[in-house]
Structures are given as C-alpha cells and as structure tokens.
PDB file of all heavy atoms in Angstrom:
ATOM      1  N   LYS O 229       0.861  -1.192   0.000  1.00  0.00           N
ATOM      2  CA  LYS O 229       0.000   0.000   0.000  1.00  0.00           C
ATOM      3  C   LYS O 229       0.888   1.230   0.000  1.00  0.00           C
ATOM      4  O   LYS O 229       1.942   1.246   0.619  1.00  0.00           O
ATOM      5  CB  LYS O 229      -0.865   0.081   1.256  1.00  0.00           C
ATOM      6  CG  LYS O 229      -1.913  -0.965   1.385  1.00  0.00           C
ATOM      7  CD  LYS O 229      -3.258  -0.409   1.026  1.00  0.00           C
ATOM      8  CE  LYS O 229      -4.322  -1.450   1.247  1.00  0.00           C
ATOM      9  NZ  LYS O 229      -4.934  -1.917   0.055  1.00  0.00           N
ATOM     10  N   SER O 230       0.413   2.285  -0.652  1.00  0.00           N
ATOM     11  CA  SER O 230       1.149   3.548  -0.584  1.00  0.00           C
ATOM     12  C   SER O 230       0.413   4.559   0.289  1.00  0.00           C
ATOM     13  O   SER O 230       1.037   5.461   0.841  1.00  0.00           O
ATOM     14  CB  SER O 230       1.380   4.114  -1.976  1.00  0.00           C
ATOM     15  OG  SER O 230       0.153   4.344  -2.628  1.00  0.00           O
ATOM     16  N   SER O 231      -0.902   4.388   0.403  1.00  0.00           N
ATOM     17  CA  SER O 231      -1.671   5.275   1.275  1.00  0.00           C
ATOM     18  C   SER O 231      -3.027   4.665   1.591  1.00  0.00           C
ATOM     19  O   SER O 231      -3.491   3.772   0.892  1.00  0.00           O
ATOM     20  CB  SER O 231      -1.859   6.650   0.635  1.00  0.00           C
ATOM     21  OG  SER O 231      -2.677   6.549  -0.501  1.00  0.00           O
ATOM     22  N   LEU O 232      -3.622   5.183   2.650  1.00  0.00           N
ATOM     23  CA  LEU O 232      -4.975   4.799   3.065  1.00  0.00           C
ATOM     24  C   LEU O 232      -5.732   6.081   3.380  1.00  0.00           C
ATOM     25  O   LEU O 232      -5.187   6.975   4.031  1.00  0.00           O
ATOM     26  CB  LEU O 232      -4.933   3.926   4.318  1.00  0.00           C
ATOM     27  CG  LEU O 232      -4.243   2.574   4.187  1.00  0.00           C
ATOM     28  CD1 LEU O 232      -3.782   2.091   5.541  1.00  0.00           C
ATOM     29  CD2 LEU O 232      -5.202   1.580   3.572  1.00  0.00           C
ATOM     30  N   THR O 233      -6.973   6.160   2.937  1.00  0.00           N
ATOM     31  CA  THR O 233      -7.823   7.311   3.233  1.00  0.00           C
ATOM     32  C   THR O 233      -9.089   6.796   3.911  1.00  0.00           C
ATOM     33  O   THR O 233      -9.784   5.941   3.357  1.00  0.00           O
ATOM     34  CB  THR O 233      -8.169   8.084   1.946  1.00  0.00           C
ATOM     35  OG1 THR O 233      -6.935   8.486   1.325  1.00  0.00           O
ATOM     36  CG2 THR O 233      -8.999   9.307   2.246  1.00  0.00           C
ATOM     37  N   ILE O 234      -9.360   7.330   5.095  1.00  0.00           N
ATOM     38  CA  ILE O 234     -10.477   6.877   5.920  1.00  0.00           C
ATOM     39  C   ILE O 234     -11.329   8.081   6.294  1.00  0.00           C
ATOM     40  O   ILE O 234     -10.798   9.070   6.809  1.00  0.00           O
ATOM     41  CB  ILE O 234      -9.973   6.215   7.230  1.00  0.00           C
ATOM     42  CG1 ILE O 234      -8.888   5.163   6.962  1.00  0.00           C
ATOM     43  CG2 ILE O 234     -11.124   5.672   8.050  1.00  0.00           C
ATOM     44  CD1 ILE O 234      -9.334   3.900   6.322  1.00  0.00           C
ATOM     45  N   PRO O 235     -12.653   8.022   6.096  1.00  0.00           N
ATOM     46  CA  PRO O 235     -13.505   9.116   6.572  1.00  0.00           C
ATOM     47  C   PRO O 235     -13.388   9.254   8.105  1.00  0.00           C
ATOM     48  O   PRO O 235     -13.391   8.252   8.820  1.00  0.00           O
ATOM     49  CB  PRO O 235     -14.918   8.679   6.182  1.00  0.00           C
ATOM     50  CG  PRO O 235     -14.735   7.626   5.137  1.00  0.00           C
ATOM     51  CD  PRO O 235     -13.412   6.976   5.423  1.00  0.00           C
ATOM     52  N   LEU O 236     -13.288  10.482   8.591  1.00  0.00           N
ATOM     53  CA  LEU O 236     -13.164  10.696  10.037  1.00  0.00           C
ATOM     54  C   LEU O 236     -14.353  10.128  10.803  1.00  0.00           C
ATOM     55  O   LEU O 236     -14.214   9.739  11.964  1.00  0.00           O
ATOM     56  CB  LEU O 236     -13.003  12.181  10.347  1.00  0.00           C
ATOM     57  CG  LEU O 236     -11.629  12.764  10.049  1.00  0.00           C
ATOM     58  CD1 LEU O 236     -11.638  14.272  10.274  1.00  0.00           C
ATOM     59  CD2 LEU O 236     -10.554  12.101  10.900  1.00  0.00           C
ATOM     60  N   ALA O 237     -15.501  10.050  10.154  1.00  0.00           N
ATOM     61  CA  ALA O 237     -16.681   9.481  10.804  1.00  0.00           C
ATOM     62  C   ALA O 237     -16.461   8.019  11.191  1.00  0.00           C
ATOM     63  O   ALA O 237     -17.140   7.505  12.085  1.00  0.00           O
ATOM     64  CB  ALA O 237     -17.895   9.606   9.891  1.00  0.00           C
ATOM     65  N   ASN O 238     -15.517   7.348  10.542  1.00  0.00           N
ATOM     66  CA  ASN O 238     -15.245   5.931  10.812  1.00  0.00           C
ATOM     67  C   ASN O 238     -14.018   5.716  11.693  1.00  0.00           C
ATOM     68  O   ASN O 238     -13.612   4.583  11.912  1.00  0.00           O
ATOM     69  CB  ASN O 238     -15.075   5.170   9.502  1.00  0.00           C
ATOM     70  CG  ASN O 238     -16.357   5.131   8.703  1.00  0.00           C
ATOM     71  OD1 ASN O 238     -17.418   5.503   9.198  1.00  0.00           O
ATOM     72  ND2 ASN O 238     -16.270   4.703   7.472  1.00  0.00           N
ATOM     73  N   VAL O 239     -13.422   6.802  12.183  1.00  0.00           N
ATOM     74  CA  VAL O 239     -12.263   6.705  13.070  1.00  0.00           C
ATOM     75  C   VAL O 239     -12.755   6.806  14.503  1.00  0.00           C
ATOM     76  O   VAL O 239     -13.404   7.779  14.880  1.00  0.00           O
ATOM     77  CB  VAL O 239     -11.232   7.816  12.768  1.00  0.00           C
ATOM     78  CG1 VAL O 239     -10.062   7.731  13.741  1.00  0.00           C
ATOM     79  CG2 VAL O 239     -10.752   7.721  11.331  1.00  0.00           C
ATOM     80  N   ARG O 240     -12.473   5.787  15.311  1.00  0.00           N
ATOM     81  CA  ARG O 240     -12.933   5.771  16.699  1.00  0.00           C
ATOM     82  C   ARG O 240     -11.949   6.422  17.655  1.00  0.00           C
ATOM     83  O   ARG O 240     -12.323   6.915  18.704  1.00  0.00           O
ATOM     84  CB  ARG O 240     -13.185   4.334  17.128  1.00  0.00           C
ATOM     85  CG  ARG O 240     -14.251   3.662  16.282  1.00  0.00           C
ATOM     86  CD  ARG O 240     -14.232   2.200  16.474  1.00  0.00           C
ATOM     87  NE  ARG O 240     -15.270   1.819  17.417  1.00  0.00           N
ATOM     88  CZ  ARG O 240     -15.409   0.606  17.893  1.00  0.00           C
ATOM     89  NH1 ARG O 240     -14.553  -0.333  17.554  1.00  0.00           N
ATOM     90  NH2 ARG O 240     -16.379   0.323  18.723  1.00  0.00           N
ATOM     91  N   GLY O 241     -10.661   6.390  17.310  1.00  0.00           N
ATOM     92  CA  GLY O 241      -9.654   6.984  18.184  1.00  0.00           C
ATOM     93  C   GLY O 241      -8.283   6.424  17.890  1.00  0.00           C
ATOM     94  O   GLY O 241      -8.118   5.595  17.000  1.00  0.00           O
ATOM     95  N   ALA O 242      -7.305   6.879  18.668  1.00  0.00           N
ATOM     96  CA  ALA O 242      -5.923   6.441  18.475  1.00  0.00           C
ATOM     97  C   ALA O 242      -5.210   6.381  19.818  1.00  0.00           C
ATOM     98  O   ALA O 242      -5.528   7.145  20.728  1.00  0.00           O
ATOM     99  CB  ALA O 242      -5.197   7.396  17.539  1.00  0.00           C
ATOM    100  N   THR O 243      -4.258   5.463  19.908  1.00  0.00           N
ATOM    101  CA  THR O 243      -3.430   5.332  21.104  1.00  0.00           C
ATOM    102  C   THR O 243      -1.998   5.005  20.692  1.00  0.00           C
ATOM    103  O   THR O 243      -1.780   4.340  19.687  1.00  0.00           O
ATOM    104  CB  THR O 243      -3.926   4.209  22.038  1.00  0.00           C
ATOM    105  OG1 THR O 243      -3.990   2.979  21.306  1.00  0.00           O
ATOM    106  CG2 THR O 243      -5.291   4.514  22.622  1.00  0.00           C
ATOM    107  N   ALA O 244      -1.058   5.482  21.483  1.00  0.00           N
ATOM    108  CA  ALA O 244       0.330   5.054  21.324  1.00  0.00           C
ATOM    109  C   ALA O 244       0.454   3.736  22.067  1.00  0.00           C
ATOM    110  O   ALA O 244       0.047   3.641  23.224  1.00  0.00           O
ATOM    111  CB  ALA O 244       1.271   6.102  21.890  1.00  0.00           C
ATOM    112  N   ASP O 245       0.960   2.706  21.412  1.00  0.00           N
ATOM    113  CA  ASP O 245       1.005   1.378  22.022  1.00  0.00           C
ATOM    114  C   ASP O 245       2.264   0.618  21.617  1.00  0.00           C
ATOM    115  O   ASP O 245       2.234  -0.218  20.722  1.00  0.00           O
ATOM    116  CB  ASP O 245      -0.236   0.581  21.633  1.00  0.00           C
ATOM    117  CG  ASP O 245      -0.364  -0.726  22.390  1.00  0.00           C
ATOM    118  OD1 ASP O 245       0.555  -1.081  23.156  1.00  0.00           O
ATOM    119  OD2 ASP O 245      -1.385  -1.411  22.215  1.00  0.00           O
ATOM    120  N   PRO O 246       3.396   0.894  22.272  1.00  0.00           N
ATOM    121  CA  PRO O 246       4.634   0.203  21.916  1.00  0.00           C
ATOM    122  C   PRO O 246       4.585  -1.305  22.188  1.00  0.00           C
ATOM    123  O   PRO O 246       5.314  -2.069  21.572  1.00  0.00           O
ATOM    124  CB  PRO O 246       5.702   0.888  22.768  1.00  0.00           C
ATOM    125  CG  PRO O 246       4.976   1.610  23.830  1.00  0.00           C
ATOM    126  CD  PRO O 246       3.591   1.883  23.319  1.00  0.00           C
ATOM    127  N   GLY O 247       3.697  -1.740  23.065  1.00  0.00           N
ATOM    128  CA  GLY O 247       3.594  -3.162  23.391  1.00  0.00           C
ATOM    129  C   GLY O 247       2.862  -3.992  22.358  1.00  0.00           C
ATOM    130  O   GLY O 247       2.911  -5.225  22.403  1.00  0.00           O
ATOM    131  N   ILE O 248       2.205  -3.345  21.408  1.00  0.00           N
ATOM    132  CA  ILE O 248       1.411  -4.085  20.437  1.00  0.00           C
ATOM    133  C   ILE O 248       2.262  -4.987  19.549  1.00  0.00           C
ATOM    134  O   ILE O 248       1.788  -5.987  19.031  1.00  0.00           O
ATOM    135  CB  ILE O 248       0.529  -3.159  19.583  1.00  0.00           C
ATOM    136  CG1 ILE O 248      -0.542  -3.990  18.882  1.00  0.00           C
ATOM    137  CG2 ILE O 248       1.374  -2.362  18.593  1.00  0.00           C
ATOM    138  CD1 ILE O 248      -1.737  -3.239  18.440  1.00  0.00           C
ATOM    139  N   ALA O 249       3.521  -4.672  19.385  1.00  0.00           N
ATOM    140  CA  ALA O 249       4.403  -5.480  18.534  1.00  0.00           C
ATOM    141  C   ALA O 249       4.527  -6.913  19.043  1.00  0.00           C
ATOM    142  O   ALA O 249       4.801  -7.821  18.268  1.00  0.00           O
ATOM    143  CB  ALA O 249       5.772  -4.837  18.428  1.00  0.00           C
ATOM    144  N   ALA O 250       4.297  -7.124  20.334  1.00  0.00           N
ATOM    145  CA  ALA O 250       4.386  -8.466  20.909  1.00  0.00           C
ATOM    146  C   ALA O 250       3.087  -9.253  20.738  1.00  0.00           C
ATOM    147  O   ALA O 250       3.074 -10.465  20.960  1.00  0.00           O
ATOM    148  CB  ALA O 250       4.740  -8.367  22.387  1.00  0.00           C
ATOM    149  N   ASP O 251       2.005  -8.588  20.345  1.00  0.00           N
ATOM    150  CA  ASP O 251       0.724  -9.261  20.165  1.00  0.00           C
ATOM    151  C   ASP O 251       0.739 -10.166  18.938  1.00  0.00           C
ATOM    152  O   ASP O 251       1.492  -9.922  17.991  1.00  0.00           O
ATOM    153  CB  ASP O 251      -0.405  -8.233  20.001  1.00  0.00           C
ATOM    154  CG  ASP O 251      -0.742  -7.514  21.286  1.00  0.00           C
ATOM    155  OD1 ASP O 251      -0.138  -7.832  22.335  1.00  0.00           O
ATOM    156  OD2 ASP O 251      -1.598  -6.612  21.237  1.00  0.00           O
ATOM    157  N   PRO O 252      -0.124 -11.184  18.928  1.00  0.00           N
ATOM    158  CA  PRO O 252      -0.235 -12.030  17.728  1.00  0.00           C
ATOM    159  C   PRO O 252      -0.668 -11.199  16.524  1.00  0.00           C
ATOM    160  O   PRO O 252      -1.479 -10.284  16.656  1.00  0.00           O
ATOM    161  CB  PRO O 252      -1.322 -13.039  18.095  1.00  0.00           C
ATOM    162  CG  PRO O 252      -1.464 -12.969  19.571  1.00  0.00           C
ATOM    163  CD  PRO O 252      -1.022 -11.608  19.987  1.00  0.00           C
ATOM    164  N   LYS O 253      -0.112 -11.499  15.379  1.00  0.00           N
ATOM    165  CA  LYS O 253      -0.417 -10.748  14.156  1.00  0.00           C
ATOM    166  C   LYS O 253      -1.515 -11.401  13.332  1.00  0.00           C
ATOM    167  O   LYS O 253      -2.242 -10.738  12.634  1.00  0.00           O
ATOM    168  CB  LYS O 253       0.824 -10.616  13.255  1.00  0.00           C
ATOM    169  CG  LYS O 253       2.081 -10.136  13.939  1.00  0.00           C
ATOM    170  CD  LYS O 253       1.932  -8.766  14.545  1.00  0.00           C
ATOM    171  CE  LYS O 253       3.206  -8.286  15.178  1.00  0.00           C
ATOM    172  NZ  LYS O 253       3.526  -8.768  16.487  1.00  0.00           N
ATOM    173  N   GLY O 254      -1.579 -12.714  13.356  1.00  0.00           N
ATOM    174  CA  GLY O 254      -2.541 -13.438  12.538  1.00  0.00           C
ATOM    175  C   GLY O 254      -1.891 -13.897  11.245  1.00  0.00           C
ATOM    176  O   GLY O 254      -0.671 -14.004  11.136  1.00  0.00           O
ATOM    177  N   ILE O 255      -2.731 -14.116  10.256  1.00  0.00           N
ATOM    178  CA  ILE O 255      -2.269 -14.612   8.961  1.00  0.00           C
ATOM    179  C   ILE O 255      -1.969 -13.434   8.053  1.00  0.00           C
ATOM    180  O   ILE O 255      -2.811 -12.567   7.848  1.00  0.00           O
ATOM    181  CB  ILE O 255      -3.328 -15.537   8.330  1.00  0.00           C
ATOM    182  CG1 ILE O 255      -3.542 -16.750   9.237  1.00  0.00           C
ATOM    183  CG2 ILE O 255      -2.906 -15.961   6.929  1.00  0.00           C
ATOM    184  CD1 ILE O 255      -4.729 -17.598   8.852  1.00  0.00           C
ATOM    185  N   ARG O 256      -0.798 -13.413   7.491  1.00  0.00           N
ATOM    186  CA  ARG O 256      -0.335 -12.334   6.613  1.00  0.00           C
ATOM    187  C   ARG O 256      -0.860 -12.581   5.202  1.00  0.00           C
ATOM    188  O   ARG O 256      -0.677 -13.650   4.644  1.00  0.00           O
ATOM    189  CB  ARG O 256       1.181 -12.340   6.636  1.00  0.00           C
ATOM    190  CG  ARG O 256       1.853 -11.413   5.697  1.00  0.00           C
ATOM    191  CD  ARG O 256       3.323 -11.689   5.700  1.00  0.00           C
ATOM    192  NE  ARG O 256       3.508 -13.095   5.343  1.00  0.00           N
ATOM    193  CZ  ARG O 256       4.646 -13.740   5.373  1.00  0.00           C
ATOM    194  NH1 ARG O 256       5.720 -13.152   5.757  1.00  0.00           N
ATOM    195  NH2 ARG O 256       4.734 -14.983   5.028  1.00  0.00           N
ATOM    196  N   ALA O 257      -1.521 -11.575   4.635  1.00  0.00           N
ATOM    197  CA  ALA O 257      -2.018 -11.725   3.265  1.00  0.00           C
ATOM    198  C   ALA O 257      -2.511 -10.406   2.704  1.00  0.00           C
ATOM    199  O   ALA O 257      -3.628 -10.001   2.982  1.00  0.00           O
ATOM    200  CB  ALA O 257      -3.148 -12.750   3.234  1.00  0.00           C
ATOM    201  N   PRO O 258      -1.802  -9.702   1.919  1.00  0.00           N
ATOM    202  CA  PRO O 258      -0.375  -9.818   1.641  1.00  0.00           C
ATOM    203  C   PRO O 258       0.413  -8.944   2.607  1.00  0.00           C
ATOM    204  O   PRO O 258      -0.121  -8.026   3.203  1.00  0.00           O
ATOM    205  CB  PRO O 258      -0.265  -9.269   0.224  1.00  0.00           C
ATOM    206  CG  PRO O 258      -1.319  -8.195   0.177  1.00  0.00           C
ATOM    207  CD  PRO O 258      -2.446  -8.719   1.046  1.00  0.00           C
ATOM    208  N   GLY O 259       1.699  -9.214   2.713  1.00  0.00           N
ATOM    209  CA  GLY O 259       2.538  -8.407   3.582  1.00  0.00           C
ATOM    210  C   GLY O 259       3.856  -9.074   3.883  1.00  0.00           C
ATOM    211  O   GLY O 259       4.210 -10.077   3.286  1.00  0.00           O
ATOM    212  N   ALA O 260       4.555  -8.488   4.844  1.00  0.00           N
ATOM    213  CA  ALA O 260       5.863  -8.991   5.255  1.00  0.00           C
ATOM    214  C   ALA O 260       5.938  -9.006   6.770  1.00  0.00           C
ATOM    215  O   ALA O 260       5.427  -8.106   7.433  1.00  0.00           O
ATOM    216  CB  ALA O 260       6.965  -8.087   4.700  1.00  0.00           C
ATOM    217  N   HIS O 261       6.564 -10.049   7.305  1.00  0.00           N
ATOM    218  CA  HIS O 261       6.745 -10.120   8.757  1.00  0.00           C
ATOM    219  C   HIS O 261       8.056 -10.830   9.057  1.00  0.00           C
ATOM    220  O   HIS O 261       8.227 -11.997   8.748  1.00  0.00           O
ATOM    221  CB  HIS O 261       5.588 -10.862   9.418  1.00  0.00           C
ATOM    222  CG  HIS O 261       5.726 -10.971  10.905  1.00  0.00           C
ATOM    223  ND1 HIS O 261       5.816  -9.873  11.728  1.00  0.00           N
ATOM    224  CD2 HIS O 261       5.828 -12.036  11.720  1.00  0.00           C
ATOM    225  CE1 HIS O 261       5.936 -10.274  12.989  1.00  0.00           C
ATOM    226  NE2 HIS O 261       5.957 -11.587  12.995  1.00  0.00           N
ATOM    227  N   LEU O 262       8.980 -10.094   9.622  1.00  0.00           N
ATOM    228  CA  LEU O 262      10.242 -10.619  10.110  1.00  0.00           C
ATOM    229  C   LEU O 262      10.316 -10.164  11.561  1.00  0.00           C
ATOM    230  O   LEU O 262      10.546  -8.976  11.821  1.00  0.00           O
ATOM    231  CB  LEU O 262      11.393 -10.016   9.295  1.00  0.00           C
ATOM    232  CG  LEU O 262      12.568 -10.924   8.979  1.00  0.00           C
ATOM    233  CD1 LEU O 262      12.128 -12.118   8.168  1.00  0.00           C
ATOM    234  CD2 LEU O 262      13.614 -10.145   8.233  1.00  0.00           C
ATOM    235  N   PRO O 263      10.052 -11.060  12.523  1.00  0.00           N
ATOM    236  CA  PRO O 263       9.988 -10.657  13.928  1.00  0.00           C
ATOM    237  C   PRO O 263      11.192  -9.816  14.353  1.00  0.00           C
ATOM    238  O   PRO O 263      12.338 -10.160  14.077  1.00  0.00           O
ATOM    239  CB  PRO O 263       9.940 -11.992  14.672  1.00  0.00           C
ATOM    240  CG  PRO O 263       9.324 -12.940  13.680  1.00  0.00           C
ATOM    241  CD  PRO O 263       9.855 -12.498  12.347  1.00  0.00           C
TER     242      PRO O 263
END
C-alpha cells in the first residue's frame, strides 16, 4: 500500500502502544513479517 484514506466518521480513536508489537499478528495476506 502507498496510502490509506479513511472518513473521520469511521475513526474511533488512536493510542500510542509500543507493546502491540508483541501481540499475535494473525495470517499475513499480503505483507511482510520478520519478527
């Protein structure tokens, strides 16, 4: 992807979360994952 555009009406909020990298990612399709 080069960009994503989301209507603000569909944005619930945002948080800084450095710990999320340790969470399960699920199945990659498409993408890249090198722990």
Side-chain angles (χ1 to χ4, degrees):
K229 292 258 184 248
S230 59
S231 67
L232 296 157
T233 302
I234 311 289
L236 284 175
N238 294 350
V239 178
R240 299 165 99 187
T243 56
D245 189 355
I248 196 159
D251 288 358
K253 311 299 182 280
I255 298 170
R256 174 188 57 187
H261 180 59
L262 217 61

